[in-house]
Amino acid sequence: MNNKEGNNKSGGGRANSSRPHSNKPKPAMQKRAQGPKKVKVNTKVAEVATDKVEKKPNQAPKRPKVKDEIRLNKYIANSGACSRRDADIYITSGTVKVNGIPVTEMGYMVKPGDVVNFDGATLTPEKKVYILLNKPKNFTTAFDEGQEFRNVLELVKGSTTAKIGAVGRMDKNTTGLLLFTNDTDMIRKFTLPTNKSSKIYHVSLDKNLKFEDLEKINKGLVLDGHRVFVEDISYIEGEAKSEIGLKLRSANVKVVRSIFEHFSYDVLRIDRVSFAGLTKKNLPRGNWRLLTEQEIINLKNV
């Protein structure tokens, strides 16, 4: 009994409450409340990214890509200081500065007007120059003091103000195509033993080349412990059997002479008529010309 009365009083108390009662559902949370969450997340990501950049040592500030900018290692190679591969070593060692800031980032881009300091010296890059010479006799690529014969650089004097060098070597008796450039990467590329570019030589011997010797040379031979692979060898049509055409990949003219001397032939003349696709067409002996843009592209793709 008492329990019932107590329950009624309790229920009555709630009914008589002045607080209004509504059966309407609560309104849904507005979507705009989700906005600040995304902003906070993006802010954190930006803060983390900023912290990562700031923590990198010797890191020059990044900037948007600019027209005519080039990679730092190429800039160094263009200056003639060293090859691109060697430039990468200097960069990672921290001895290269751009606008006074040490740069160790591989692939860093240099824009026009930047000042690059390489191992204590400020660099001035040169425009790449590629010159093809049809070398005559009695000129050599050697720089020996007191040498009897003149240097090949005399033949291309006035062609450029850039500091150029010959690709490979030629003695006084060898004639034909000789490439000059200030592109240290290309010089290194064509002087490596592993280079796959073909060279064609016209060789004059003191006597007719025996067919069996021609066949032996065509199969390849070993000289001073090194295997020499010949791409092609043949008699020159319409000439005596002492006039030979030889195609191989070595840029060392001494190899050509050694091949025939190995079979007891004296080499009277060697004329390089083709170098990595370049020919002597419209280039008289002793004359030079600049390579075309397409020829430069072809050399880089060899």
Side-chain angles (χ1 to χ4, degrees):
M1 183 91 179
N2 289 336
N3 289 339
K4 289 182 180 180
E5 288 178 358
N7 289 337
N8 287 336
K9 287 180 181 180
S10 174
R14 290 181 181 177
N16 294 334
S17 172
S18 60
R19 190 174 181 179
H21 179 73
S22 174
N23 294 326
K24 293 181 179 181
K26 293 179 68 177
M29 183 180 291
Q30 296 182 8
K31 291 184 178 180
R32 65 183 180 182
Q34 298 175 2
K37 292 182 179 180
K38 291 184 178 180
V39 173
K40 289 180 180 180
V41 172
N42 289 338
T43 302
K44 290 180 180 179
V45 172
E47 291 174 355
V48 171
T50 304
D51 290 339
K52 288 182 179 180
V53 173
E54 292 175 352
K55 289 179 181 179
K56 288 184 178 180
N58 299 329
Q59 178 67 55
K62 290 187 177 181
R63 48 179 169 67
K65 188 174 182 180
V66 180
K67 183 181 178 182
D68 297 329
E69 64 182 2
I70 62 174
R71 286 179 176 268
L72 180 57
N73 61 353
K74 184 177 181 180
Y75 185 99
I76 295 172
N78 287 355
S79 70
C82 63
S83 67
R84 281 203 211 182
R85 183 175 297 181
D86 290 338
D88 288 336
I89 297 174
Y90 280 97
I91 292 170
T92 54
S93 68
T95 58
V96 178
K97 296 181 180 179
V98 179
N99 300 326
I101 302 175
V103 175
T104 57
E105 175 189 351
M106 302 302 294
Y108 183 88
M109 305 299 289
V110 178
K111 73 177 188 301
D114 281 348
V115 178
V116 178
N117 188 278
F118 174 82
D119 201 24
T122 300
L123 299 182
T124 303
E126 295 178 321
K127 181 181 179 181
K128 293 306 177 196
V129 179
Y130 305 88
I131 299 169
L132 186 65
L133 169 72
N134 187 351
K135 177 190 168 301
K137 286 183 66 174
N138 298 329
F139 286 85
T140 176
T141 54
F143 283 97
D144 298 334
E145 293 184 5
Q147 63 187 16
E148 180 183 355
F149 299 96
R150 297 156 68 184
N151 190 273
V152 289
L153 287 175
E154 295 182 33
L155 298 169
V156 293
K157 187 177 181 180
S159 61
T160 179
T161 57
K163 186 178 180 181
I164 58 175
V167 179
R169 296 181 178 181
M170 272 194 179
D171 58 33
K172 65 181 181 64
N173 292 322
T174 303
T175 60
L177 297 180
L178 183 61
L179 182 64
F180 294 85
T181 182
N182 58 343
D183 187 339
T184 54
D185 286 336
M186 183 168 290
I187 292 176
R188 182 177 180 275
K189 172 182 177 179
F190 281 104
T191 52
L192 286 174
T194 55
N195 184 260
K196 297 181 180 180
S197 63
S198 298
K199 293 87 178 174
I200 300 177
Y201 299 90
H202 178 176
V203 183
S204 299
L205 304 177
D206 64 326
K207 56 188 176 183
N208 291 343
L209 178 66
K210 296 178 182 179
F211 182 75
E212 53 264 34
D213 290 337
L214 184 146
E215 287 291 296
K216 291 177 183 178
I217 294 172
N218 192 44
K219 292 178 181 178
L221 63 157
V222 177
L223 297 175
D224 297 327
H226 298 282
R227 184 75 176 173
V228 177
F229 296 95
V230 175
E231 292 187 63
D232 193 18
I233 182 172
S234 64
Y235 299 112
I236 295 180
E237 187 176 353
E239 300 285 346
K241 300 297 183 182
S242 60
E243 303 299 317
I244 311 299
L246 180 68
K247 183 179 181 181
L248 70 166
R249 293 177 178 176
S250 175
N252 190 346
V253 179
K254 288 184 178 180
V255 173
V256 178
R257 191 175 299 278
S258 297
I259 288 174
F260 295 98
E261 289 178 347
H262 181 75
F263 293 92
S264 301
Y265 295 91
D266 289 334
V267 177
L268 303 180
R269 288 178 299 274
I270 300 176
D271 185 37
R272 185 152 62 192
V273 298
S274 176
F275 178 88
L278 302 172
T279 68
K280 298 192 298 180
K281 184 178 180 181
N282 300 325
L283 189 62
R285 187 83 74 201
N287 289 23
W288 59 267
R289 68 172 178 83
L290 296 174
L291 297 190
T292 65
E293 289 297 325
Q294 187 58 53
E295 287 174 332
I296 296 170
I297 292 172
N298 292 343
L299 284 180
K300 291 182 177 180
N301 290 334
V302 170

